[in-house]
Amino acid sequence: MKSILVLLMLSACIFSCKEDEPESALKGCCGNDAIDADVGNGHIYVPNIFTPNGDGLNDYLMVCGDSIDLLVEFEIRNKSGKVVFESFGPEPCVPAAGWDGKVDGVVVEGLYDVLVSVLAEDGTSHTLHGKVCNFPCDGENVTEQVPGANCQFPSQLDNGYYCPTCPSGEGDECYK
């Protein structure tokens, strides 16, 4: 009888203790496709993950493309819908024109909404939506790993297009 009671208590904790844990800010990281789309005669690419940890690699989220005349707007919102970054008319593929992952001056990891409005050289305009994972993994103080499958980084770029064979430059210690 005593062993049944212990088993029931353990079962209750297994199913309910996990519910008490806060949800991961990185839940869904790389679970969404990157923005990788044709717009008229142009093409636009915004990765679905970046790592703003100051190592000089994948530190900025930026909009890249080919045959894009104007990036009209680039906007990032947190999970509650607050705009944490916006830029009007930024230069494509320029790190300084991108988002450094900071919210109110501090890098805040998590999943964010992305909005990009573009005008292609042929006059076609389009607004694209996606999600990006701000994951400042530095390889040393890893508190959480994210699934590496489907992660598309800023460094995996070739003439404005995503390059699946280009290395991300990120180490395996941050990814499952």
Side-chain angles (χ1 to χ4, degrees), residues 81-142:
K82 177 186 174 196
V83 175
V84 296
F85 175 84
E86 66 182 336
S87 181
F88 298 94
E91 282 290 318
C93 274
V94 174
W99 181 41
D100 62 3
K102 293 180 181 175
V103 178
D104 298 324
V106 177
V107 173
V108 180
E109 73 179 22
L111 197 60
Y112 291 82
D113 292 315
V114 177
L115 174 140
V116 179
S117 292
V118 299
L119 178 65
E121 289 177 349
D122 69 358
T124 304
S125 64
H126 194 59
T127 299
L128 302 123
H129 299 270
K131 294 207 178 274
V132 66
C133 184
N134 178 351
F135 182 45
C137 181
D138 63 8
E140 294 174 18
N141 303 309
V142 181

Short mmCIF file of all heavy atoms in Angstrom, two decimals, residues 81-142:
data_model
loop_
_atom_site.label_atom_id
_atom_site.label_comp_id
_atom_site.label_asym_id
_atom_site.label_seq_id
_atom_site.Cartn_x
_atom_site.Cartn_y
_atom_site.Cartn_z
N GLY A 81 3.19 41.96 -28.65
CA GLY A 81 2.83 42.85 -29.74
C GLY A 81 3.49 44.22 -29.70
O GLY A 81 3.25 45.06 -30.56
N LYS A 82 4.34 44.47 -28.71
CA LYS A 82 5.03 45.76 -28.60
C LYS A 82 6.16 45.84 -29.63
O LYS A 82 6.96 44.92 -29.77
CB LYS A 82 5.62 45.92 -27.20
CG LYS A 82 6.40 47.20 -27.02
CD LYS A 82 7.08 47.26 -25.66
CE LYS A 82 7.97 48.48 -25.59
NZ LYS A 82 8.93 48.40 -24.50
N VAL A 83 6.24 46.96 -30.35
CA VAL A 83 7.32 47.18 -31.30
C VAL A 83 8.60 47.40 -30.51
O VAL A 83 8.69 48.30 -29.69
CB VAL A 83 7.04 48.40 -32.21
CG1 VAL A 83 8.23 48.69 -33.11
CG2 VAL A 83 5.79 48.16 -33.05
N VAL A 84 9.61 46.55 -30.76
CA VAL A 84 10.90 46.67 -30.06
C VAL A 84 12.00 47.18 -30.99
O VAL A 84 13.06 47.58 -30.53
CB VAL A 84 11.33 45.33 -29.41
CG1 VAL A 84 10.33 44.93 -28.33
CG2 VAL A 84 11.49 44.23 -30.44
N PHE A 85 11.72 47.18 -32.30
CA PHE A 85 12.66 47.71 -33.28
C PHE A 85 11.89 48.04 -34.55
O PHE A 85 11.02 47.28 -34.97
CB PHE A 85 13.75 46.69 -33.63
CG PHE A 85 14.67 47.13 -34.72
CD1 PHE A 85 15.76 47.94 -34.45
CD2 PHE A 85 14.45 46.74 -36.04
CE1 PHE A 85 16.62 48.37 -35.46
CE2 PHE A 85 15.30 47.17 -37.06
CZ PHE A 85 16.39 47.98 -36.76
N GLU A 86 12.22 49.19 -35.15
CA GLU A 86 11.66 49.48 -36.47
C GLU A 86 12.60 50.41 -37.21
O GLU A 86 13.31 51.21 -36.61
CB GLU A 86 10.25 50.05 -36.39
CG GLU A 86 10.09 51.39 -35.77
CD GLU A 86 8.63 51.83 -35.70
OE1 GLU A 86 7.79 51.35 -36.50
OE2 GLU A 86 8.33 52.65 -34.84
N SER A 87 12.61 50.22 -38.50
CA SER A 87 13.46 51.02 -39.36
C SER A 87 12.71 51.25 -40.67
O SER A 87 12.06 50.34 -41.18
CB SER A 87 14.77 50.28 -39.62
OG SER A 87 15.61 51.04 -40.41
N PHE A 88 12.80 52.47 -41.18
CA PHE A 88 12.15 52.81 -42.44
C PHE A 88 13.22 53.13 -43.47
O PHE A 88 14.07 54.00 -43.24
CB PHE A 88 11.21 54.00 -42.24
CG PHE A 88 10.11 53.70 -41.27
CD1 PHE A 88 10.24 54.04 -39.93
CD2 PHE A 88 8.95 53.07 -41.68
CE1 PHE A 88 9.24 53.75 -39.02
CE2 PHE A 88 7.94 52.77 -40.77
CZ PHE A 88 8.09 53.11 -39.44
N GLY A 89 13.23 52.39 -44.57
CA GLY A 89 14.20 52.60 -45.63
C GLY A 89 15.61 52.16 -45.32
O GLY A 89 16.56 52.75 -45.82
N PRO A 90 15.80 51.08 -44.54
CA PRO A 90 17.17 50.65 -44.25
C PRO A 90 17.86 50.07 -45.48
O PRO A 90 17.20 49.57 -46.39
CB PRO A 90 16.99 49.56 -43.19
CG PRO A 90 15.65 48.97 -43.50
CD PRO A 90 14.82 50.14 -43.96
N GLU A 91 19.17 50.17 -45.51
CA GLU A 91 19.95 49.55 -46.57
C GLU A 91 19.89 48.03 -46.40
O GLU A 91 20.07 47.53 -45.29
CB GLU A 91 21.41 50.00 -46.49
CG GLU A 91 21.66 51.37 -47.04
CD GLU A 91 21.52 51.41 -48.55
OE1 GLU A 91 21.99 50.50 -49.25
OE2 GLU A 91 20.92 52.39 -49.02
N PRO A 92 19.67 47.28 -47.48
CA PRO A 92 19.66 45.82 -47.37
C PRO A 92 21.05 45.27 -47.03
O PRO A 92 22.06 45.78 -47.50
CB PRO A 92 19.22 45.34 -48.75
CG PRO A 92 18.83 46.53 -49.52
CD PRO A 92 19.34 47.73 -48.82
N CYS A 93 21.06 44.23 -46.22
CA CYS A 93 22.28 43.48 -45.88
C CYS A 93 23.36 44.32 -45.21
O CYS A 93 24.54 44.02 -45.35
CB CYS A 93 22.84 42.78 -47.10
SG CYS A 93 22.09 41.19 -47.37
N VAL A 94 22.97 45.34 -44.50
CA VAL A 94 23.93 46.16 -43.76
C VAL A 94 23.68 45.92 -42.27
O VAL A 94 22.60 46.27 -41.76
CB VAL A 94 23.76 47.67 -44.10
CG1 VAL A 94 24.66 48.52 -43.22
CG2 VAL A 94 24.04 47.90 -45.57
N PRO A 95 24.63 45.29 -41.58
CA PRO A 95 24.42 44.98 -40.16
C PRO A 95 23.98 46.18 -39.32
O PRO A 95 23.07 46.06 -38.50
CB PRO A 95 25.77 44.45 -39.70
CG PRO A 95 26.36 43.86 -40.94
CD PRO A 95 25.92 44.78 -42.05
N ALA A 96 24.57 47.34 -39.54
CA ALA A 96 24.22 48.52 -38.74
C ALA A 96 22.77 48.95 -38.96
O ALA A 96 22.19 49.65 -38.13
CB ALA A 96 25.16 49.68 -39.07
N ALA A 97 22.15 48.52 -40.08
CA ALA A 97 20.76 48.85 -40.36
C ALA A 97 19.82 47.79 -39.81
O ALA A 97 18.60 47.92 -39.87
CB ALA A 97 20.54 48.99 -41.87
N GLY A 98 20.38 46.73 -39.23
CA GLY A 98 19.58 45.64 -38.69
C GLY A 98 19.34 45.77 -37.20
O GLY A 98 19.74 46.75 -36.56
N TRP A 99 18.69 44.77 -36.65
CA TRP A 99 18.36 44.74 -35.23
C TRP A 99 19.46 44.01 -34.49
O TRP A 99 19.86 42.91 -34.87
CB TRP A 99 17.02 44.06 -35.01
CG TRP A 99 16.57 43.99 -33.59
CD1 TRP A 99 16.67 44.96 -32.63
CD2 TRP A 99 15.91 42.89 -32.95
NE1 TRP A 99 16.13 44.54 -31.44
CE2 TRP A 99 15.65 43.26 -31.61
CE3 TRP A 99 15.52 41.63 -33.38
CZ2 TRP A 99 15.01 42.42 -30.71
CZ3 TRP A 99 14.89 40.79 -32.48
CH2 TRP A 99 14.63 41.19 -31.16
N ASP A 100 19.94 44.60 -33.40
CA ASP A 100 21.00 44.01 -32.59
C ASP A 100 20.49 43.10 -31.48
O ASP A 100 21.24 42.63 -30.64
CB ASP A 100 21.89 45.10 -32.00
CG ASP A 100 21.15 46.05 -31.07
OD1 ASP A 100 19.94 45.84 -30.80
OD2 ASP A 100 21.78 47.02 -30.60
N GLY A 101 19.19 42.84 -31.47
CA GLY A 101 18.59 41.93 -30.48
C GLY A 101 18.27 42.57 -29.15
O GLY A 101 17.82 41.89 -28.23
N LYS A 102 18.50 43.87 -29.05
CA LYS A 102 18.27 44.55 -27.77
C LYS A 102 16.87 45.12 -27.67
O LYS A 102 16.32 45.65 -28.62
CB LYS A 102 19.29 45.67 -27.57
CG LYS A 102 20.69 45.15 -27.40
CD LYS A 102 21.69 46.27 -27.20
CE LYS A 102 23.10 45.69 -27.05
NZ LYS A 102 24.11 46.76 -26.98
N VAL A 103 16.32 44.99 -26.46
CA VAL A 103 15.05 45.59 -26.11
C VAL A 103 15.34 46.49 -24.92
O VAL A 103 15.82 46.01 -23.89
CB VAL A 103 14.00 44.51 -25.74
CG1 VAL A 103 12.70 45.15 -25.31
CG2 VAL A 103 13.79 43.54 -26.90
N ASP A 104 15.11 47.77 -25.08
CA ASP A 104 15.43 48.75 -24.03
C ASP A 104 16.89 48.64 -23.59
O ASP A 104 17.20 48.68 -22.40
CB ASP A 104 14.48 48.60 -22.83
CG ASP A 104 13.03 48.85 -23.21
OD1 ASP A 104 12.78 49.74 -24.05
OD2 ASP A 104 12.14 48.17 -22.66
N GLY A 105 17.79 48.44 -24.56
CA GLY A 105 19.23 48.44 -24.29
C GLY A 105 19.83 47.13 -23.83
O GLY A 105 21.02 47.04 -23.59
N VAL A 106 19.01 46.08 -23.71
CA VAL A 106 19.49 44.78 -23.23
C VAL A 106 19.06 43.69 -24.22
O VAL A 106 17.91 43.68 -24.67
CB VAL A 106 18.91 44.46 -21.83
CG1 VAL A 106 19.34 43.10 -21.35
CG2 VAL A 106 19.28 45.54 -20.83
N VAL A 107 19.97 42.77 -24.53
CA VAL A 107 19.61 41.64 -25.40
C VAL A 107 18.62 40.75 -24.67
O VAL A 107 18.88 40.31 -23.55
CB VAL A 107 20.86 40.83 -25.81
CG1 VAL A 107 20.45 39.57 -26.57
CG2 VAL A 107 21.79 41.66 -26.67
N VAL A 108 17.47 40.53 -25.29
CA VAL A 108 16.41 39.72 -24.70
C VAL A 108 16.12 38.55 -25.63
O VAL A 108 15.57 38.75 -26.72
CB VAL A 108 15.13 40.54 -24.44
CG1 VAL A 108 14.05 39.66 -23.83
CG2 VAL A 108 15.42 41.73 -23.55
N GLU A 109 16.50 37.34 -25.20
CA GLU A 109 16.26 36.17 -26.05
C GLU A 109 14.78 35.86 -26.12
O GLU A 109 14.01 36.19 -25.22
CB GLU A 109 17.05 34.96 -25.56
CG GLU A 109 16.54 34.32 -24.30
CD GLU A 109 17.37 33.12 -23.89
OE1 GLU A 109 18.54 32.99 -24.28
OE2 GLU A 109 16.81 32.30 -23.15
N GLY A 110 14.40 35.25 -27.21
CA GLY A 110 13.01 34.86 -27.38
C GLY A 110 12.61 34.83 -28.84
O GLY A 110 13.43 35.02 -29.75
N LEU A 111 11.34 34.57 -29.06
CA LEU A 111 10.76 34.49 -30.39
C LEU A 111 10.01 35.79 -30.67
O LEU A 111 9.21 36.23 -29.85
CB LEU A 111 9.81 33.29 -30.46
CG LEU A 111 9.41 32.76 -31.81
CD1 LEU A 111 10.64 32.31 -32.60
CD2 LEU A 111 8.44 31.61 -31.67
N TYR A 112 10.29 36.41 -31.81
CA TYR A 112 9.73 37.71 -32.16
C TYR A 112 9.04 37.65 -33.52
O TYR A 112 9.40 36.84 -34.37
CB TYR A 112 10.84 38.77 -32.21
CG TYR A 112 11.44 39.09 -30.87
CD1 TYR A 112 12.43 38.27 -30.32
CD2 TYR A 112 11.01 40.19 -30.15
CE1 TYR A 112 12.98 38.56 -29.08
CE2 TYR A 112 11.56 40.49 -28.91
CZ TYR A 112 12.54 39.67 -28.38
OH TYR A 112 13.08 39.96 -27.16
N ASP A 113 8.07 38.55 -33.71
CA ASP A 113 7.39 38.69 -35.00
C ASP A 113 8.16 39.67 -35.86
O ASP A 113 8.64 40.70 -35.38
CB ASP A 113 5.96 39.20 -34.81
CG ASP A 113 5.08 38.16 -34.12
OD1 ASP A 113 5.13 36.98 -34.50
OD2 ASP A 113 4.32 38.56 -33.21
N VAL A 114 8.24 39.37 -37.15
CA VAL A 114 8.95 40.21 -38.12
C VAL A 114 7.97 40.66 -39.19
O VAL A 114 7.16 39.87 -39.68
CB VAL A 114 10.09 39.40 -38.80
CG1 VAL A 114 10.79 40.25 -39.86
CG2 VAL A 114 11.07 38.88 -37.80
N LEU A 115 8.06 41.94 -39.55
CA LEU A 115 7.30 42.49 -40.67
C LEU A 115 8.30 43.20 -41.57
O LEU A 115 9.13 43.99 -41.08
CB LEU A 115 6.25 43.48 -40.17
CG LEU A 115 5.48 44.23 -41.25
CD1 LEU A 115 4.02 44.34 -40.86
CD2 LEU A 115 6.06 45.60 -41.51
N VAL A 116 8.24 42.92 -42.86
CA VAL A 116 9.12 43.55 -43.84
C VAL A 116 8.27 43.98 -45.03
O VAL A 116 7.58 43.16 -45.62
CB VAL A 116 10.22 42.58 -44.33
CG1 VAL A 116 11.10 43.25 -45.35
CG2 VAL A 116 11.04 42.06 -43.19
N SER A 117 8.32 45.26 -45.35
CA SER A 117 7.65 45.78 -46.55
C SER A 117 8.74 46.15 -47.55
O SER A 117 9.66 46.89 -47.20
CB SER A 117 6.81 47.02 -46.22
OG SER A 117 5.72 46.66 -45.40
N VAL A 118 8.60 45.63 -48.76
CA VAL A 118 9.64 45.84 -49.77
C VAL A 118 9.04 46.31 -51.09
O VAL A 118 7.87 46.07 -51.38
CB VAL A 118 10.47 44.56 -50.02
CG1 VAL A 118 11.19 44.12 -48.77
CG2 VAL A 118 9.62 43.44 -50.56
N LEU A 119 9.90 46.97 -51.87
CA LEU A 119 9.55 47.39 -53.22
C LEU A 119 10.63 46.85 -54.14
O LEU A 119 11.81 47.19 -53.99
CB LEU A 119 9.50 48.93 -53.30
CG LEU A 119 9.19 49.54 -54.65
CD1 LEU A 119 7.77 49.18 -55.10
CD2 LEU A 119 9.36 51.05 -54.59
N ALA A 120 10.23 45.99 -55.06
CA ALA A 120 11.18 45.41 -56.01
C ALA A 120 11.50 46.42 -57.11
O ALA A 120 10.77 47.40 -57.31
CB ALA A 120 10.62 44.13 -56.62
N GLU A 121 12.58 46.16 -57.83
CA GLU A 121 13.00 47.06 -58.91
C GLU A 121 11.95 47.21 -60.01
O GLU A 121 11.87 48.24 -60.67
CB GLU A 121 14.32 46.60 -59.51
CG GLU A 121 15.49 46.83 -58.57
CD GLU A 121 16.82 46.31 -59.12
OE1 GLU A 121 16.83 45.59 -60.14
OE2 GLU A 121 17.84 46.63 -58.50
N ASP A 122 11.09 46.19 -60.17
CA ASP A 122 10.05 46.28 -61.21
C ASP A 122 8.79 47.00 -60.72
O ASP A 122 7.80 47.07 -61.43
CB ASP A 122 9.71 44.89 -61.76
CG ASP A 122 8.98 44.00 -60.76
OD1 ASP A 122 8.74 44.41 -59.60
OD2 ASP A 122 8.64 42.85 -61.14
N GLY A 123 8.82 47.53 -59.50
CA GLY A 123 7.68 48.28 -58.96
C GLY A 123 6.72 47.45 -58.11
O GLY A 123 5.79 48.00 -57.52
N THR A 124 6.92 46.15 -58.04
CA THR A 124 6.08 45.29 -57.22
C THR A 124 6.40 45.52 -55.74
O THR A 124 7.56 45.55 -55.35
CB THR A 124 6.34 43.79 -57.55
OG1 THR A 124 6.13 43.59 -58.94
CG2 THR A 124 5.44 42.89 -56.74
N SER A 125 5.34 45.69 -54.96
CA SER A 125 5.55 45.84 -53.52
C SER A 125 4.82 44.72 -52.79
O SER A 125 3.83 44.18 -53.28
CB SER A 125 5.05 47.20 -53.03
OG SER A 125 3.66 47.32 -53.21
N HIS A 126 5.35 44.39 -51.62
CA HIS A 126 4.75 43.31 -50.84
C HIS A 126 5.18 43.46 -49.39
O HIS A 126 6.29 43.91 -49.11
CB HIS A 126 5.18 41.95 -51.40
CG HIS A 126 4.37 40.80 -50.90
ND1 HIS A 126 3.01 40.71 -51.09
CD2 HIS A 126 4.73 39.70 -50.21
CE1 HIS A 126 2.58 39.58 -50.53
NE2 HIS A 126 3.61 38.96 -50.00
N THR A 127 4.29 43.06 -48.49
CA THR A 127 4.61 43.01 -47.06
C THR A 127 4.65 41.55 -46.65
O THR A 127 3.72 40.80 -46.94
CB THR A 127 3.56 43.78 -46.23
OG1 THR A 127 3.58 45.15 -46.65
CG2 THR A 127 3.87 43.71 -44.76
N LEU A 128 5.73 41.17 -46.01
CA LEU A 128 5.93 39.78 -45.60
C LEU A 128 6.00 39.72 -44.07
O LEU A 128 6.50 40.65 -43.43
CB LEU A 128 7.22 39.24 -46.21
CG LEU A 128 7.25 39.31 -47.73
CD1 LEU A 128 8.44 40.10 -48.19
CD2 LEU A 128 7.27 37.93 -48.30
N HIS A 129 5.52 38.61 -43.53
CA HIS A 129 5.52 38.39 -42.09
C HIS A 129 6.24 37.08 -41.78
O HIS A 129 6.16 36.13 -42.55
CB HIS A 129 4.08 38.30 -41.55
CG HIS A 129 3.28 39.53 -41.79
ND1 HIS A 129 3.23 40.54 -40.89
CD2 HIS A 129 2.51 39.91 -42.83
CE1 HIS A 129 2.45 41.50 -41.36
NE2 HIS A 129 2.01 41.14 -42.55
N GLY A 130 6.89 37.05 -40.64
CA GLY A 130 7.56 35.83 -40.21
C GLY A 130 7.90 35.91 -38.73
O GLY A 130 7.43 36.80 -38.01
N LYS A 131 8.71 34.99 -38.29
CA LYS A 131 9.17 34.96 -36.90
C LYS A 131 10.67 34.77 -36.90
O LYS A 131 11.23 34.15 -37.79
CB LYS A 131 8.50 33.82 -36.13
CG LYS A 131 6.99 34.02 -35.97
CD LYS A 131 6.49 33.32 -34.75
CE LYS A 131 5.02 33.54 -34.57
NZ LYS A 131 4.72 34.76 -33.85
N VAL A 132 11.31 35.31 -35.86
CA VAL A 132 12.75 35.16 -35.71
C VAL A 132 13.06 34.81 -34.26
O VAL A 132 12.39 35.27 -33.33
CB VAL A 132 13.52 36.43 -36.13
CG1 VAL A 132 13.23 37.59 -35.20
CG2 VAL A 132 15.01 36.15 -36.21
N CYS A 133 14.05 33.97 -34.10
CA CYS A 133 14.52 33.58 -32.77
C CYS A 133 15.76 34.39 -32.43
O CYS A 133 16.76 34.33 -33.16
CB CYS A 133 14.84 32.08 -32.78
SG CYS A 133 15.32 31.48 -31.16
N ASN A 134 15.69 35.16 -31.37
CA ASN A 134 16.83 35.92 -30.85
C ASN A 134 17.47 35.01 -29.80
O ASN A 134 16.96 34.86 -28.71
CB ASN A 134 16.32 37.22 -30.23
CG ASN A 134 17.41 38.06 -29.62
OD1 ASN A 134 18.55 37.63 -29.48
ND2 ASN A 134 17.05 39.26 -29.22
N PHE A 135 18.57 34.38 -30.17
CA PHE A 135 19.20 33.35 -29.33
C PHE A 135 20.68 33.67 -29.15
O PHE A 135 21.52 33.23 -29.92
CB PHE A 135 19.01 31.98 -30.00
CG PHE A 135 19.55 30.82 -29.22
CD1 PHE A 135 19.32 30.69 -27.86
CD2 PHE A 135 20.27 29.83 -29.86
CE1 PHE A 135 19.81 29.60 -27.15
CE2 PHE A 135 20.77 28.73 -29.17
CZ PHE A 135 20.53 28.62 -27.81
N PRO A 136 21.03 34.46 -28.12
CA PRO A 136 22.41 34.91 -27.95
C PRO A 136 23.33 33.86 -27.33
O PRO A 136 24.11 34.17 -26.44
CB PRO A 136 22.25 36.13 -27.04
CG PRO A 136 21.04 35.83 -26.24
CD PRO A 136 20.13 35.06 -27.15
N CYS A 137 23.24 32.64 -27.80
CA CYS A 137 24.07 31.57 -27.25
C CYS A 137 25.54 31.90 -27.46
O CYS A 137 25.98 32.16 -28.57
CB CYS A 137 23.74 30.25 -27.93
SG CYS A 137 24.71 28.90 -27.29
N ASP A 138 26.30 31.91 -26.38
CA ASP A 138 27.72 32.22 -26.49
C ASP A 138 28.60 30.99 -26.39
O ASP A 138 29.83 31.07 -26.44
CB ASP A 138 28.15 33.25 -25.43
CG ASP A 138 27.97 32.75 -24.01
OD1 ASP A 138 27.67 31.56 -23.80
OD2 ASP A 138 28.15 33.57 -23.09
N GLY A 139 27.98 29.82 -26.24
CA GLY A 139 28.73 28.58 -26.20
C GLY A 139 29.31 28.26 -24.83
O GLY A 139 29.71 27.14 -24.58
N GLU A 140 29.38 29.24 -23.94
CA GLU A 140 29.95 29.01 -22.61
C GLU A 140 28.88 28.89 -21.53
O GLU A 140 28.93 28.01 -20.70
CB GLU A 140 30.91 30.15 -22.26
CG GLU A 140 32.13 30.19 -23.16
CD GLU A 140 32.99 31.41 -22.88
OE1 GLU A 140 32.85 32.02 -21.81
OE2 GLU A 140 33.82 31.74 -23.74
N ASN A 141 27.93 29.79 -21.54
CA ASN A 141 26.90 29.82 -20.51
C ASN A 141 25.57 29.35 -21.07
O ASN A 141 24.57 30.06 -21.03
CB ASN A 141 26.76 31.24 -19.95
CG ASN A 141 28.07 31.76 -19.41
OD1 ASN A 141 28.71 31.08 -18.62
ND2 ASN A 141 28.48 32.93 -19.83
N VAL A 142 25.55 28.17 -21.62
CA VAL A 142 24.36 27.64 -22.26
C VAL A 142 23.38 27.14 -21.20
O VAL A 142 23.67 26.18 -20.49
CB VAL A 142 24.71 26.48 -23.24
CG1 VAL A 142 23.47 25.96 -23.92
CG2 VAL A 142 25.72 26.95 -24.26
#
